[in-house]
Amino acid sequence: MNPVTLFSEVSCPAENAVTVRAALERFVRETRAEPGCLVFELAQHPKEPHRFALYEVFEGQAGFDAHAAAPHVKDMFAFLQSQGAKATFDFWTLLSPLAVAK
């Protein structure tokens, strides 16, 4: 298996941080339920609560492609845009063995 690994960052206007966090927490639950999702973790910056980071690992390209096509992903991007949030992501190569029980 060649896992697909991403690091993502979401930043939003400070006044929308609570709403965006709640939506991201729901997004984590929805994504973790996907069959191709191995890891999906959300973090919030301790000094800048309007900044969030996601660590994502999917079971191969097919797992990531299914995630990218899922309706909740499209809905999340539309929601983030409506909140004035910006999302960036970058693909990485996972070098350490992945030990995930699913």
Side-chain angles (χ1 to χ4, degrees):
M1 171 188 70
N2 287 328
V4 173
T5 304
L6 293 88
F7 287 92
S8 304
E9 185 171 337
V10 174
S11 61
C12 66
E15 62 271 15
N16 296 343
V18 171
T19 303
V20 169
R21 177 182 170 164
L24 287 170
E25 288 173 339
R26 185 173 51 256
F27 184 61
V28 168
R29 289 190 301 274
E30 292 168 341
T31 301
R32 284 180 176 170
E34 295 173 21
C37 177
L38 299 175
V39 176
F40 206 83
E41 298 293 338
L42 173 65
Q44 187 173 29
H45 194 283
K47 294 182 180 174
E48 299 178 55
H50 64 284
R51 292 180 55 205
F52 303 90
L54 292 157
Y55 169 58
E56 313 170 32
V57 182
F58 295 92
E59 194 170 4
Q61 190 63 48
F64 173 75
D65 291 345
H67 166 70
H72 66 270
V73 174
K74 292 179 174 86
D75 291 346
M76 175 54 70
F77 279 108
F79 172 77
L80 291 174
Q81 186 175 19
S82 78
Q83 296 297 301
K86 297 194 182 346
T88 61
F89 62 91
D90 201 11
F91 292 93
W92 291 70
T93 300
L94 190 63
L95 300 177
S96 59
L98 189 62
V100 177
K102 201 143 195 233

